[in-house]
Amino acid sequence: HALGQTGALAGVALSLPALLRAEKLQKRAARVGFDWPDTAGPRAKILEELDELEAARDEDRLIEAGDLLFATVNFLRAHGIAAEDALRAANSKFEHRFAAMEQLATAQGHAFGDLSLDEQEALWQAVKRSEAAEAP
């Protein structure tokens, strides 16, 4: 048998989206006791992986980036948050804010891409303030 085919991780489909597969692999490992007792362990692991990614040679960056994502999925799981759902929500929020920034730039007579990064950041902050003002 190939590695993992009969163990605790057997049967986690390779075809799953990567974040969902990471979560399922971690849940399977947790069922047999391989899990952090609280959120401090996963949080520390994220910080460790950030350092490792920043220090990595070019050929190791992909692996270290994957380790960082895997650790982040574990941290979210420890908080009862599904990584796929969280990223989907973040994507939606980013798309909404970015479109609002572009509209604001146009309303001010500017092409968004012609603005400096500082000017774009000012629009980002304006959109965030506008969202906060609209919140119930």
Side-chain angles (χ1 to χ4, degrees), residues 3-136:
L3 180 65
Q5 285 187 338
T6 60
L9 305 183
V12 178
L14 288 169
S15 61
L16 291 172
L19 291 175
L20 181 57
R21 187 161 194 272
E23 187 175 329
K24 286 189 177 281
L25 289 168
Q26 291 169 8
K27 284 180 179 178
R28 292 275 184 96
R31 281 191 215 151
V32 294
F34 191 71
D35 201 8
W36 301 100
D38 55 33
T39 61
R43 185 181 192 288
K45 191 66 173 169
I46 288 172
L47 297 176
E48 175 188 322
E49 296 299 345
L50 280 168
D51 290 342
E52 290 179 9
L53 176 57
E54 287 182 339
R57 297 181 314 247
D58 286 347
E59 62 270 17
D60 297 327
R61 291 177 58 79
L62 179 70
I63 296 301
E64 295 301 339
D67 290 349
L68 174 60
L69 286 171
F70 194 84
T72 301
V73 169
N74 205 15
F75 181 73
L76 295 175
R77 187 179 60 80
H79 281 280
I81 299 166
E84 283 286 333
D85 294 343
L87 188 54
R88 203 171 290 115
N91 288 344
S92 178
K93 180 173 72 173
F94 180 80
E95 287 175 311
H96 173 77
R97 284 186 181 165
F98 197 89
M101 288 187 337
E102 290 176 315
Q103 291 171 356
L104 194 53
T106 299
Q108 295 174 355
H110 303 289
F112 183 80
D114 292 340
L115 299 174
S116 70
L117 184 55
D118 286 342
E119 291 168 326
Q120 291 174 346
E121 176 63 22
L123 290 176
W124 180 265
Q125 295 303 325
V127 169
K128 282 180 65 174
R129 283 191 304 276
S130 173
E131 288 174 352
E134 295 172 5

